[in-house]
Amino acid sequence: MSRAFIFPGQGAQTIGMGKALAEAYPAARAVFDEVDDALGEALSALIWEGQQDTLTLTQNAQPALMATSLAALRALEAEGVTLDAAAFVAGHSLGEYSALAAAGALSIADTARLLRIRGRAMQQAVPVGVGAMAAILGLDFEAVTAVANDAAEGEVCQAANDNDPGQVVVSGHLAAVERAVVLAKERGAKRAMLLPVSAPFHCALMQPAAEVMRAALDEVPMEAPSVPLIANVRAEAVSDPDTIRALLVEQVTGSVRWRESVGYMAQHGVTETWEIGAGKALSGMVRRIERDIAVRNIGAPEDVVAAAAALQG
């Protein structure tokens, strides 16, 4: 059985995530300590005991989700499961950074600092109220791309996340995204609704943030990942550090090609995905994209023990 380890993106964050892992596994607790030290603040206290709205702020959610994912990975390692169990790693948007940290391309400390920079830069790229994102359900990527193009009317409106065959997210100027919601419904979408996000991610409006990330990534050492990364913007495996840097910059304004990424996994023999960290959103997408791929979630100590037993048994 060939596996891919996949890492969740923004929206999966919940107060208390990873706490049981940290209590059960010293190696998991050490990840949160390392992230706290890297950021110079007790992010772990916010994750475990803070307010959901503060955790959901982009600059907090991004490093917090990475910390939770890496804590889950360290717990797996404590049970004897190493990254050798995976043929590929992949992550949804910020999850791509978690995947790279998991594969040893970036240190946890550098990843935490990069995600804090990324979160702030993405939040500051567009004034609040100028941009928006909307989920379109029941139309495929090509149909939503046409909707976005027709709704733009000189403004920015792009298909930002190609999540699964029936879920595509558009991003851009508020008025253009609102037009896209109306058009999508007229063209047969089952649902189309604005999302409660603080900025229009993965569209051209994020170009200022892309430039910030270009400079930040140039300052950070990066190794080739020990397991190939399936990159968001290419939906194919990459291992060269310079290529990965360029793709991480492109990812800020480019589409997250998750549906195609899972298709690439299937074409290259993946029969099971392990979603490492908070939530189960990616597993649901995988099921809708490739029914023959089994899914497993690793977010709590009992998940870690069950996964290790399944692998070793």
Side-chain angles (χ1 to χ4, degrees):
M1 182 175 285
S2 179
R3 286 168 207 84
F5 284 7
I6 60 176
F7 297 84
Q10 208 158 327
Q13 66 276 356
T14 56
I15 295 297
M17 63 182 183
K19 187 174 184 181
L21 288 168
E23 291 171 345
Y25 294 95
R29 176 65 200 231
V31 171
F32 288 103
D33 290 342
E34 187 173 354
V35 170
D36 286 353
D37 289 344
L39 298 179
E41 64 184 67
L43 185 66
S44 59
L46 169 61
I47 297 169
W48 297 335
E49 301 158 6
Q51 298 297 313
Q52 181 70 25
D53 57 351
T54 306
L55 178 62
T56 298
L57 292 173
T58 302
Q59 67 188 52
N60 294 328
Q62 296 200 14
L65 285 162
M66 183 277 297
T68 303
S69 287
L70 269 291
L73 187 70
R74 294 291 181 263
L76 281 171
E77 291 170 353
E79 295 288 352
V81 180
T82 68
L83 204 65
D84 294 341
F88 300 102
V89 293
H92 193 283
S93 191
L94 83 90
E96 195 156 87
Y97 286 80
S98 305
L100 288 166
L106 293 168
S107 72
I108 289 175
D110 282 339
T111 307
R113 287 187 286 263
L114 284 169
L115 287 173
R116 171 55 56 83
I117 292 167
R118 184 178 183 268
R120 284 177 173 162
M122 293 173 84
Q123 186 62 62
Q124 293 169 0
V126 181
V128 174
V130 170
M133 299 180 78
I136 312 297
L137 307 183
L139 296 179
D140 64 21
F141 184 71
E142 289 71 23
V144 176
T145 298
V147 164
N149 290 339
D150 292 344
E153 297 183 10
E155 295 185 306
V156 171
C157 190
Q158 294 172 229
N161 296 350
D162 183 8
N163 285 335
D164 65 44
Q167 183 192 123
V168 182
V169 175
V170 297
S171 182
H173 284 107
L174 173 59
V177 172
E178 288 175 336
R179 288 192 292 270
V181 166
V182 174
L183 268 179
K185 290 176 180 176
E186 291 174 354
R187 296 181 186 182
K190 293 177 183 176
R191 293 183 68 194
M193 62 279 192
L194 292 174
L195 295 174
V197 297
S198 56
F201 305 129
H202 298 292
C203 76
L205 295 176
M206 287 286 112
Q207 188 58 40
E211 296 308 321
V212 170
M213 291 313 298
R214 189 190 311 279
L217 285 158
D218 281 346
E219 297 296 317
V220 173
M222 184 182 294
E223 304 294 330
S226 60
V227 173
L229 170 79
I230 301 175
N232 283 184
V233 296
R234 279 196 185 171
E236 64 183 23
V238 294
S239 292
D240 175 67
D242 289 339
T243 301
I244 291 170
R245 284 180 205 275
L247 294 177
L248 288 173
V249 174
E250 187 179 338
Q251 186 223 60
V252 178
T253 57
S255 297
V256 176
R257 295 167 61 183
W258 190 253
R259 175 182 58 85
E260 293 174 273
S261 294
V262 175
Y264 181 94
M265 295 176 198
Q267 292 162 16
H268 289 79
V270 170
T271 54
E272 185 177 42
T273 60
W274 289 16
E275 184 169 2
I276 313 290
K280 299 181 179 181
L282 297 186
S283 296
M285 293 176 196
V286 171
R287 284 197 192 95
R288 292 188 289 273
I289 297 165
E290 293 285 347
R291 292 182 182 176
D292 292 337
I293 294 181
V295 300
R296 181 181 288 274
N297 297 92
I298 316 290
E302 56 268 27
D303 302 329
V304 173
V305 172
L311 193 63
Q312 294 158 2

